[in-house]
Amino acid sequence: MSSSASTTSLPATSHRLAAFAGPAVMLLGMLLFSLNDAMGKWLVASYGLGQVILIRSVAALIILAPFLFMAGWKPIVDAERPWLQLARVIFSTVEIFSFYYAVMYLPLADVMTYWLAAPIYVAACAPFLLGEKVGWRRWTAIAIGFVGVIITLEPSSAMFTMPALISVVGTAAFAFMMLSGRSLRATPDKTLVLFQILGAGVAGLVFAPFDWAPIGSMTELLLLGLLGIVAMSAHMLVNRALKISDAATVAPLQYTLLLWAVVFGWLFFDEVPRLTMLFGAALIVGSGLFIFFREQQLKKRDQVLPAIPE
């Protein structure tokens, strides 16, 4: 009797643990990404942009190396569609340089708001670049999201400053990186991350000599290296969360990045969010969540029904 009860209770207990573990791991990953962003903002105030990205890439590569060794070189050498892989590396490199350039001059929460608009750009470009069907509901959400971006930029002469324009370029690069990733689903995550790290590292190596600043102490060198370790750990946690739980459960938790950006911006940099930024961010987050859940709903429907216009 007791043996039978314990046997039947194990799957339910395991299911409950998985239901809790997935979101918990995702939230921890988002926290580490936010810490990475705050550390990056602090470091680029004292060191060159190329220097920070070069040391960050080297540290991340050291962390990734054992996993690549266990997986072998075949997934790297035989990576699909080399030209698209190269394009994705270029997009990811532009994205990371743009992000760290933007946080040098703009509040952390503002920059994060721009970057969280990337899924909206992806949804807008997918019909033209990937042939995906987008119905009127998602087009409406896309339009609302773009309005949120414009409100966050605050239409004025200030929106044409270099940091604001670089933010838009970086967000667009991030969106195209995500779009190219959709076409490279057969490529293992470790391979995609490796190519991103190498691309950023090579670019950092090129630009580092032009703005290299002397590293004052071993502590500061460790902090520069820690930037890459934290980022790599965050990537691994997010990938693990997506394996533990389905995307519909954990993906919306990425928007906690904005909450942490507000908190860390206030704690470490005395940044108080603008009302226009908060309102624009609300539109961006709302439209992004609608697009995500609408796509999940359509995927479930297509598993039962033949594909029909939305």
Side-chain angles (χ1 to χ4, degrees):
M1 181 72 172
S2 60
S3 174
S4 174
S6 62
T7 302
T8 55
S9 66
L10 282 175
T13 303
S14 177
H15 179 73
R16 283 195 296 270
L17 287 173
F20 171 79
V25 171
M26 186 69 169
L27 287 171
L28 181 57
M30 293 301 103
L31 173 58
L32 288 186
F33 270 126
S34 300
L35 283 172
N36 173 78
D37 298 338
M39 290 169 58
K41 181 177 176 65
W42 183 77
L43 288 168
V44 293
S46 304
Y47 297 99
L49 183 59
Q51 177 183 9
V52 169
I53 291 176
L54 173 60
I55 298 175
R56 175 188 188 271
S57 300
V58 171
L61 189 59
I62 291 172
I63 297 299
L64 186 62
F67 299 95
L68 294 172
F69 180 78
M70 289 187 290
W73 292 103
K74 186 174 176 59
I76 300 171
V77 176
D78 296 339
E80 59 177 332
R81 306 174 71 177
W83 288 109
L84 187 58
Q85 298 279 2
L86 177 61
R88 187 177 183 278
V89 168
I90 293 172
F91 291 138
S92 67
T93 302
V94 171
E95 182 266 332
I96 191 170
F97 270 84
S98 299
F99 182 87
Y100 285 116
Y101 178 88
V103 296
M104 279 196 287
Y105 301 100
L106 297 175
L108 196 58
D110 286 40
V111 178
M112 188 54 63
T113 299
Y114 298 139
W115 256 254
L116 287 177
I120 298 169
Y121 298 168
V122 170
C125 295
F128 309 104
L129 299 180
L130 301 179
E132 297 180 3
K133 291 183 174 64
V134 174
W136 67 269
R137 295 177 182 85
R138 278 183 287 170
W139 277 121
T140 302
I142 289 167
I144 292 172
F146 278 122
V147 170
V149 173
I150 293 171
I151 291 173
T152 305
L153 282 169
E154 289 188 343
S156 66
S157 59
M159 71 181 289
F160 297 107
T161 61
M162 187 58 68
L165 293 175
I166 291 293
S167 294
V168 173
V169 170
T171 309
F174 186 40
F176 282 113
M177 186 186 82
M178 294 168 67
L179 279 167
S180 58
R182 287 191 180 187
S183 300
L184 296 170
R185 290 188 178 95
T187 304
D189 291 340
K190 294 183 185 68
T191 302
L192 291 175
V193 172
L194 171 65
F195 291 158
Q196 286 179 230
I197 293 173
L198 291 176
V202 169
L205 185 62
V206 171
F207 290 105
F210 297 101
D211 57 2
W212 190 274
I215 299 174
S217 65
M218 181 59 67
T219 300
E220 293 181 354
L221 178 60
L222 290 174
L223 284 174
L224 286 163
L226 188 61
L227 191 67
I229 295 172
V230 171
M232 183 54 56
S233 300
H235 275 294
M236 292 178 179
L237 286 170
V238 171
N239 289 337
R240 175 56 56 185
L242 290 168
K243 291 178 180 178
I244 296 173
S245 300
D246 60 280
T249 301
V250 297
L253 297 175
Q254 68 178 312
Y255 291 103
T256 58
L257 286 168
L258 183 57
L259 172 63
W260 287 120
V262 172
V263 172
F264 291 151
W266 175 66
L267 283 177
F268 302 136
F269 307 106
D270 294 323
E271 298 170 349
V272 179
R274 296 172 291 114
L275 289 177
T276 49
M277 187 283 292
L278 293 175
F279 182 59
L283 293 179
I284 291 169
V285 172
S287 59
L289 286 172
F290 178 86
I291 291 168
F292 174 78
F293 285 116
R294 181 61 180 166
E295 289 176 348
Q296 295 298 311
Q297 183 184 38
L298 292 174
K299 286 178 183 177
K300 290 180 180 178
R301 187 187 70 179
D302 291 342
Q303 291 175 357
V304 180
L305 300 174
I308 56 176
E310 185 179 350

Coordinates of all heavy atoms in Angstrom, one line a residue, residues 209-279:
P209 N 43.2 48.4 -29.3 CA 44.4 49.3 -29.3 C 44.2 50.8 -29.4 O 45.0 51.6 -28.9 CB 45.2 48.8 -30.5 CG 44.8 47.4 -30.8 CD 43.3 47.4 -30.4
F210 N 43.0 51.1 -29.9 CA 42.7 52.6 -30.1 C 42.2 53.2 -28.8 O 42.2 54.4 -28.7 CB 41.7 52.7 -31.2 CG 42.1 52.3 -32.6 CD1 41.7 51.0 -33.1 CD2 43.0 53.1 -33.3 CE1 42.2 50.6 -34.3 CE2 43.5 52.6 -34.6 CZ 43.0 51.4 -35.0
D211 N 41.7 52.4 -27.9 CA 41.1 53.0 -26.7 C 41.5 52.2 -25.4 O 40.8 52.2 -24.4 CB 39.6 53.1 -26.8 CG 38.9 51.8 -27.0 OD1 39.6 50.8 -27.1 OD2 37.7 51.8 -27.1
W212 N 42.7 51.6 -25.5 CA 43.1 50.8 -24.3 C 43.5 51.6 -23.2 O 44.2 52.6 -23.3 CB 44.3 49.9 -24.7 CG 44.6 48.9 -23.7 CD1 45.5 49.1 -22.6 CD2 44.2 47.5 -23.6 NE1 45.5 47.9 -21.9 CE2 44.8 46.9 -22.5 CE3 43.4 46.7 -24.4 CZ2 44.6 45.6 -22.1 CZ3 43.2 45.4 -24.1 CH2 43.7 44.9 -22.9
A213 N 42.9 51.3 -22.0 CA 43.3 52.1 -20.8 C 44.0 51.1 -19.8 O 43.6 49.9 -19.7 CB 42.0 52.6 -20.1
P214 N 45.0 51.6 -19.1 CA 45.8 50.7 -18.2 C 44.9 50.2 -17.1 O 44.0 50.9 -16.6 CB 46.8 51.7 -17.6 CG 46.9 52.8 -18.6 CD 45.6 53.0 -19.2
I215 N 45.0 48.9 -16.9 CA 44.2 48.2 -15.8 C 44.9 48.5 -14.5 O 46.0 48.1 -14.3 CB 44.0 46.7 -16.1 CG1 43.3 46.6 -17.5 CG2 43.2 46.0 -15.0 CD1 43.2 45.1 -17.9
G216 N 44.2 49.1 -13.6 CA 44.7 49.6 -12.3 C 45.1 48.5 -11.4 O 46.1 48.7 -10.6
S217 N 44.4 47.4 -11.3 CA 44.7 46.4 -10.3 C 44.2 45.1 -10.8 O 43.4 45.0 -11.7 CB 44.0 46.8 -9.0 OG 42.6 46.8 -9.1
M218 N 44.6 44.0 -10.0 CA 44.2 42.7 -10.3 C 42.6 42.6 -10.1 O 42.0 41.8 -10.8 CB 44.9 41.7 -9.5 CG 44.5 40.2 -9.7 SD 44.8 39.7 -11.4 CE 46.6 39.8 -11.5
T219 N 42.1 43.3 -9.1 CA 40.7 43.3 -8.9 C 39.9 43.8 -10.1 O 38.9 43.2 -10.5 CB 40.3 44.2 -7.6 OG1 41.0 43.7 -6.5 CG2 38.8 44.2 -7.4
E220 N 40.4 44.8 -10.7 CA 39.7 45.4 -11.9 C 39.8 44.4 -13.1 O 38.9 44.3 -13.8 CB 40.2 46.8 -12.2 CG 39.9 47.8 -11.2 CD 40.5 49.2 -11.5 OE1 41.2 49.3 -12.5 OE2 40.2 50.1 -10.8
L221 N 40.9 43.8 -13.2 CA 41.1 42.8 -14.2 C 40.1 41.6 -14.0 O 39.5 41.1 -15.0 CB 42.5 42.2 -14.3 CG 42.8 41.1 -15.3 CD1 42.5 41.6 -16.7 CD2 44.2 40.6 -15.2
L222 N 40.0 41.2 -12.8 CA 39.0 40.1 -12.4 C 37.6 40.5 -12.7 O 36.8 39.7 -13.2 CB 39.2 39.7 -11.0 CG 40.4 39.0 -10.6 CD1 40.5 38.7 -9.1 CD2 40.5 37.6 -11.3
L223 N 37.3 41.8 -12.5 CA 35.9 42.3 -12.8 C 35.7 42.3 -14.3 O 34.6 42.0 -14.8 CB 35.8 43.7 -12.2 CG 35.5 43.8 -10.7 CD1 35.5 45.3 -10.3 CD2 34.2 43.1 -10.3
L224 N 36.7 42.7 -15.1 CA 36.6 42.6 -16.5 C 36.3 41.2 -17.0 O 35.5 41.0 -17.9 CB 37.8 43.2 -17.2 CG 38.0 44.7 -17.1 CD1 39.4 45.2 -17.4 CD2 37.0 45.4 -18.1
G225 N 37.1 40.3 -16.4 CA 36.8 38.9 -16.8 C 35.5 38.3 -16.3 O 34.9 37.5 -17.0
L226 N 35.1 38.8 -15.1 CA 33.8 38.4 -14.6 C 32.7 38.7 -15.5 O 31.6 38.0 -15.5 CB 33.7 39.0 -13.2 CG 32.5 38.5 -12.3 CD1 32.6 37.0 -12.1 CD2 32.4 39.2 -11.0
L227 N 32.8 39.8 -16.2 CA 31.8 40.2 -17.1 C 31.4 39.1 -18.1 O 30.3 38.8 -18.4 CB 32.2 41.5 -17.9 CG 31.2 42.2 -18.7 CD1 30.1 42.8 -17.8 CD2 31.8 43.3 -19.6
G228 N 32.5 38.5 -18.7 CA 32.2 37.4 -19.6 C 31.7 36.1 -18.9 O 30.8 35.4 -19.5
I229 N 32.2 35.9 -17.7 CA 31.7 34.7 -17.0 C 30.3 34.8 -16.6 O 29.5 33.8 -16.7 CB 32.6 34.5 -15.7 CG1 34.0 34.2 -16.1 CG2 32.0 33.4 -14.8 CD1 35.0 34.2 -14.9
V230 N 29.8 36.0 -16.2 CA 28.4 36.2 -15.8 C 27.6 36.1 -17.0 O 26.5 35.4 -17.0 CB 28.3 37.6 -15.1 CG1 26.8 37.9 -15.0 CG2 29.0 37.6 -13.8
A231 N 28.0 36.6 -18.1 CA 27.2 36.6 -19.4 C 27.0 35.1 -19.8 O 25.9 34.7 -20.2 CB 27.8 37.4 -20.5
M232 N 28.1 34.4 -19.8 CA 28.1 33.0 -20.2 C 27.2 32.1 -19.3 O 26.4 31.3 -19.7 CB 29.5 32.4 -20.3 CG 29.6 30.9 -20.8 SD 28.7 30.7 -22.4 CE 29.6 31.9 -23.4
S233 N 27.3 32.4 -18.0 CA 26.5 31.7 -17.0 C 25.0 32.0 -17.3 O 24.1 31.1 -17.2 CB 26.8 32.1 -15.6 OG 28.2 31.8 -15.3
A234 N 24.7 33.2 -17.6 CA 23.3 33.6 -17.9 C 22.8 32.9 -19.1 O 21.6 32.4 -19.1 CB 23.2 35.1 -18.1
H235 N 23.6 32.8 -20.2 CA 23.2 32.0 -21.4 C 22.9 30.6 -21.0 O 21.9 30.0 -21.5 CB 24.3 32.1 -22.4 CG 24.3 33.3 -23.3 ND1 23.3 33.6 -24.2 CD2 25.2 34.3 -23.4 CE1 23.6 34.7 -24.8 NE2 24.7 35.2 -24.3
M236 N 23.7 30.0 -20.2 CA 23.6 28.6 -19.9 C 22.3 28.4 -19.1 O 21.5 27.4 -19.2 CB 24.8 28.0 -19.1 CG 26.0 27.9 -19.9 SD 27.4 27.4 -18.9 CE 28.7 27.3 -20.1
L237 N 22.0 29.3 -18.1 CA 20.8 29.2 -17.3 C 19.5 29.3 -18.2 O 18.5 28.6 -18.0 CB 20.8 30.3 -16.2 CG 21.8 30.0 -15.1 CD1 21.9 31.3 -14.2 CD2 21.3 28.8 -14.2
V238 N 19.5 30.3 -19.1 CA 18.4 30.4 -20.0 C 18.2 29.2 -20.9 O 17.0 28.7 -21.0 CB 18.6 31.7 -20.9 CG1 17.5 31.7 -22.0 CG2 18.5 32.9 -20.1
N239 N 19.2 28.6 -21.4 CA 19.1 27.4 -22.2 C 18.6 26.3 -21.4 O 17.7 25.5 -21.8 CB 20.5 27.0 -22.8 CG 20.9 28.0 -23.9 OD1 20.0 28.6 -24.6 ND2 22.2 28.0 -24.2
R240 N 19.0 26.2 -20.1 CA 18.6 25.1 -19.2 C 17.1 25.3 -18.9 O 16.3 24.4 -18.9 CB 19.4 25.1 -17.9 CG 19.0 24.1 -16.9 CD 18.9 22.7 -17.4 NE 20.1 22.3 -18.0 CZ 20.3 21.1 -18.6 NH1 19.3 20.3 -18.7 NH2 21.5 20.8 -19.1
A241 N 16.7 26.6 -18.7 CA 15.3 26.8 -18.4 C 14.4 26.4 -19.5 O 13.3 25.9 -19.3 CB 15.1 28.3 -18.1
L242 N 14.8 26.6 -20.7 CA 14.0 26.3 -21.9 C 13.9 24.8 -22.1 O 13.0 24.3 -22.8 CB 14.6 27.0 -23.1 CG 14.4 28.5 -23.2 CD1 15.2 29.1 -24.3 CD2 12.9 28.8 -23.4
K243 N 14.9 24.0 -21.5 CA 14.8 22.6 -21.6 C 14.0 22.0 -20.5 O 13.4 21.0 -20.6 CB 16.3 22.0 -21.5 CG 17.1 22.3 -22.8 CD 18.5 21.8 -22.6 CE 19.3 22.1 -23.9 NZ 20.7 21.6 -23.8
I244 N 13.9 22.7 -19.3 CA 13.1 22.2 -18.2 C 11.7 22.5 -18.4 O 10.8 21.6 -18.2 CB 13.6 22.9 -16.9 CG1 15.1 22.5 -16.6 CG2 12.7 22.5 -15.7 CD1 15.6 23.2 -15.4
S245 N 11.4 23.7 -18.9 CA 10.0 24.1 -19.1 C 9.7 24.5 -20.5 O 10.7 24.8 -21.3 CB 9.6 25.3 -18.2 OG 9.8 24.9 -16.8
D246 N 8.5 24.6 -20.9 CA 8.2 25.0 -22.3 C 8.3 26.5 -22.4 O 8.3 27.3 -21.4 CB 6.7 24.6 -22.7 CG 5.7 25.3 -21.7 OD1 5.5 24.7 -20.6 OD2 5.1 26.3 -22.1
A247 N 8.5 27.0 -23.6 CA 8.8 28.4 -23.9 C 7.7 29.3 -23.4 O 7.9 30.4 -22.9 CB 9.1 28.6 -25.4
A248 N 6.4 28.9 -23.5 CA 5.3 29.7 -23.1 C 5.4 30.0 -21.6 O 4.8 31.0 -21.2 CB 4.0 29.0 -23.4
T249 N 6.0 29.1 -20.8 CA 6.1 29.4 -19.4 C 7.2 30.3 -19.0 O 7.0 31.2 -18.2 CB 6.3 28.0 -18.7 OG1 5.2 27.1 -18.9 CG2 6.4 28.2 -17.2
V250 N 8.4 30.2 -19.6 CA 9.6 30.9 -19.2 C 9.9 32.1 -20.0 O 10.5 33.1 -19.5 CB 10.8 29.9 -19.1 CG1 10.5 28.9 -18.0 CG2 11.1 29.3 -20.4
A251 N 9.6 32.1 -21.3 CA 10.0 33.2 -22.2 C 9.5 34.5 -21.8 O 10.3 35.5 -21.8 CB 9.7 32.9 -23.7
P252 N 8.3 34.7 -21.3 CA 7.8 36.0 -20.9 C 8.6 36.6 -19.7 O 8.5 37.8 -19.5 CB 6.3 35.7 -20.5 CG 5.9 34.5 -21.3 CD 7.1 33.7 -21.4
L253 N 9.3 35.7 -19.0 CA 10.0 36.2 -17.9 C 11.2 37.0 -18.3 O 11.9 37.7 -17.4 CB 10.5 35.0 -17.0 CG 9.4 34.2 -16.4 CD1 10.0 33.0 -15.6 CD2 8.6 35.0 -15.4
Q254 N 11.5 37.1 -19.6 CA 12.6 37.9 -20.0 C 12.4 39.4 -19.8 O 13.3 40.2 -19.6 CB 12.9 37.7 -21.5 CG 11.8 38.2 -22.4 CD 12.0 38.1 -23.9 OE1 13.1 38.4 -24.4 NE2 11.1 37.5 -24.6
Y255 N 11.1 39.8 -19.6 CA 10.8 41.2 -19.4 C 11.1 41.6 -18.0 O 11.0 42.8 -17.7 CB 9.3 41.4 -19.7 CG 9.0 41.3 -21.2 CD1 8.4 40.2 -21.7 CD2 9.4 42.3 -22.1 CE1 8.2 40.1 -23.1 CE2 9.2 42.2 -23.4 CZ 8.6 41.1 -23.9 OH 8.3 41.0 -25.3
T256 N 11.5 40.7 -17.1 CA 12.0 41.1 -15.8 C 13.3 41.8 -15.9 O 13.8 42.5 -15.0 CB 12.2 39.9 -14.8 OG1 13.1 39.0 -15.4 CG2 10.9 39.2 -14.6
L257 N 14.0 41.7 -17.1 CA 15.2 42.5 -17.4 C 14.9 44.0 -17.2 O 15.8 44.7 -16.7 CB 15.7 42.3 -18.8 CG 16.3 40.9 -19.1 CD1 16.5 40.7 -20.6 CD2 17.7 40.8 -18.4
L258 N 13.7 44.5 -17.6 CA 13.4 45.9 -17.4 C 13.3 46.3 -16.0 O 13.8 47.3 -15.6 CB 12.1 46.2 -18.2 CG 11.7 47.7 -18.2 CD1 12.8 48.5 -18.8 CD2 10.4 47.8 -19.0
L259 N 12.7 45.4 -15.2 CA 12.6 45.7 -13.7 C 14.0 45.8 -13.1 O 14.3 46.7 -12.3 CB 11.8 44.6 -13.0 CG 11.8 44.6 -11.5 CD1 11.1 45.9 -11.0 CD2 11.1 43.4 -10.9
W260 N 14.9 44.8 -13.4 CA 16.2 44.9 -12.8 C 17.0 46.1 -13.4 O 17.8 46.7 -12.6 CB 17.0 43.6 -13.2 CG 16.5 42.4 -12.4 CD1 16.0 41.2 -12.9 CD2 16.5 42.2 -11.0 NE1 15.6 40.4 -11.9 CE2 16.0 41.0 -10.7 CE3 16.9 43.0 -9.9 CZ2 15.9 40.5 -9.4 CZ3 16.8 42.6 -8.6 CH2 16.3 41.3 -8.4
A261 N 16.8 46.5 -14.6 CA 17.5 47.6 -15.2 C 17.1 48.9 -14.4 O 17.9 49.8 -14.1 CB 17.1 47.8 -16.6
V262 N 15.8 49.0 -14.0 CA 15.3 50.2 -13.2 C 16.0 50.1 -11.9 O 16.5 51.1 -11.4 CB 13.8 50.2 -13.1 CG1 13.3 51.2 -12.1 CG2 13.2 50.4 -14.5
V263 N 16.0 48.9 -11.2 CA 16.5 48.8 -9.9 C 18.0 49.1 -9.8 O 18.5 49.9 -9.0 CB 16.2 47.4 -9.3 CG1 17.0 47.2 -8.0 CG2 14.7 47.2 -9.1
F264 N 18.8 48.4 -10.8 CA 20.2 48.6 -10.8 C 20.6 50.0 -11.2 O 21.6 50.6 -10.7 CB 20.9 47.6 -11.7 CG 20.8 46.2 -11.1 CD1 20.8 45.1 -12.0 CD2 20.7 45.9 -9.8 CE1 20.7 43.8 -11.5 CE2 20.7 44.7 -9.2 CZ 20.7 43.6 -10.1
G265 N 19.8 50.6 -12.1 CA 20.1 52.0 -12.6 C 20.0 52.9 -11.4 O 20.7 53.9 -11.3
W266 N 19.0 52.7 -10.6 CA 18.7 53.6 -9.4 C 19.8 53.3 -8.3 O 20.3 54.3 -7.8 CB 17.3 53.3 -8.9 CG 17.0 54.1 -7.6 CD1 16.9 55.4 -7.5 CD2 16.8 53.5 -6.3 NE1 16.6 55.7 -6.2 CE2 16.5 54.6 -5.5 CE3 16.7 52.2 -5.9 CZ2 16.2 54.4 -4.1 CZ3 16.4 52.0 -4.5 CH2 16.2 53.1 -3.6
L267 N 20.1 52.1 -8.0 CA 21.0 51.7 -7.0 C 22.4 52.2 -7.3 O 23.1 52.7 -6.4 CB 21.0 50.2 -6.7 CG 19.8 49.7 -5.9 CD1 19.9 48.2 -5.8 CD2 19.7 50.3 -4.5
F268 N 22.9 51.9 -8.5 CA 24.3 52.1 -8.8 C 24.6 53.3 -9.5 O 25.8 53.8 -9.5 CB 24.8 50.9 -9.6 CG 24.6 49.5 -8.9 CD1 24.1 48.4 -9.6 CD2 24.9 49.4 -7.5 CE1 24.0 47.2 -8.9 CE2 24.8 48.2 -6.9 CZ 24.3 47.1 -7.6
F269 N 23.6 53.9 -10.2 CA 24.0 55.1 -11.1 C 23.1 56.3 -10.8 O 23.1 57.2 -11.6 CB 23.9 54.6 -12.6 CG 24.7 53.4 -12.9 CD1 24.1 52.2 -13.1 CD2 26.1 53.5 -13.0 CE1 24.8 51.1 -13.4 CE2 26.8 52.4 -13.3 CZ 26.2 51.2 -13.5
D270 N 22.2 56.2 -9.8 CA 21.3 57.3 -9.4 C 20.4 57.7 -10.6 O 20.1 58.9 -10.8 CB 22.1 58.5 -9.0 CG 22.8 58.2 -7.6 OD1 22.2 57.5 -6.8 OD2 23.9 58.7 -7.5
E271 N 20.0 56.7 -11.4 CA 19.1 57.0 -12.5 C 17.6 56.8 -12.1 O 17.2 55.8 -11.6 CB 19.4 56.0 -13.7 CG 20.9 56.2 -14.2 CD 21.3 55.1 -15.2 OE1 20.5 54.1 -15.3 OE2 22.3 55.2 -15.8
V272 N 16.9 57.8 -12.4 CA 15.4 57.8 -12.1 C 14.7 57.7 -13.4 O 14.9 58.5 -14.3 CB 15.0 59.1 -11.3 CG1 13.5 59.0 -11.1 CG2 15.7 59.2 -10.0
P273 N 13.8 56.6 -13.6 CA 13.2 56.4 -14.9 C 12.3 57.6 -15.2 O 11.6 58.2 -14.4 CB 12.3 55.2 -14.7 CG 12.9 54.5 -13.5 CD 13.5 55.6 -12.6
R274 N 12.3 58.0 -16.5 CA 11.4 59.0 -17.0 C 10.0 58.5 -17.2 O 9.8 57.3 -17.5 CB 11.9 59.6 -18.4 CG 13.2 60.2 -18.3 CD 13.7 60.6 -19.7 NE 14.1 59.3 -20.5 CZ 13.4 58.9 -21.5 NH1 12.4 59.5 -22.0 NH2 13.8 57.8 -22.1
L275 N 9.0 59.3 -17.0 CA 7.6 58.8 -17.2 C 7.3 58.4 -18.6 O 6.7 57.4 -18.9 CB 6.6 60.0 -16.8 CG 6.5 60.3 -15.3 CD1 5.6 61.4 -15.1 CD2 6.0 59.0 -14.5
T276 N 7.9 59.1 -19.6 CA 7.8 58.7 -21.0 C 8.4 57.3 -21.2 O 7.9 56.5 -22.0 CB 8.4 59.7 -21.9 OG1 9.7 60.1 -21.5 CG2 7.5 61.0 -21.9
M277 N 9.5 57.1 -20.6 CA 10.2 55.8 -20.8 C 9.3 54.7 -20.2 O 9.1 53.6 -20.8 CB 11.5 55.8 -20.1 CG 12.4 54.5 -20.3 SD 11.9 53.1 -19.4 CE 12.3 53.6 -17.7
L278 N 8.7 54.9 -19.0 CA 7.9 53.9 -18.4 C 6.6 53.6 -19.2 O 6.2 52.5 -19.4 CB 7.5 54.3 -17.0 CG 8.6 54.4 -16.0 CD1 8.1 55.0 -14.6 CD2 9.2 53.0 -15.7
F279 N 6.0 54.7 -19.8 CA 4.8 54.5 -20.6 C 5.2 53.8 -21.9 O 4.5 52.8 -22.3 CB 4.2 55.9 -20.9 CG 2.9 55.8 -21.7 CD1 1.8 55.0 -21.2 CD2 2.8 56.4 -22.9 CE1 0.7 54.9 -21.9 CE2 1.7 56.3 -23.7 CZ 0.6 55.5 -23.2

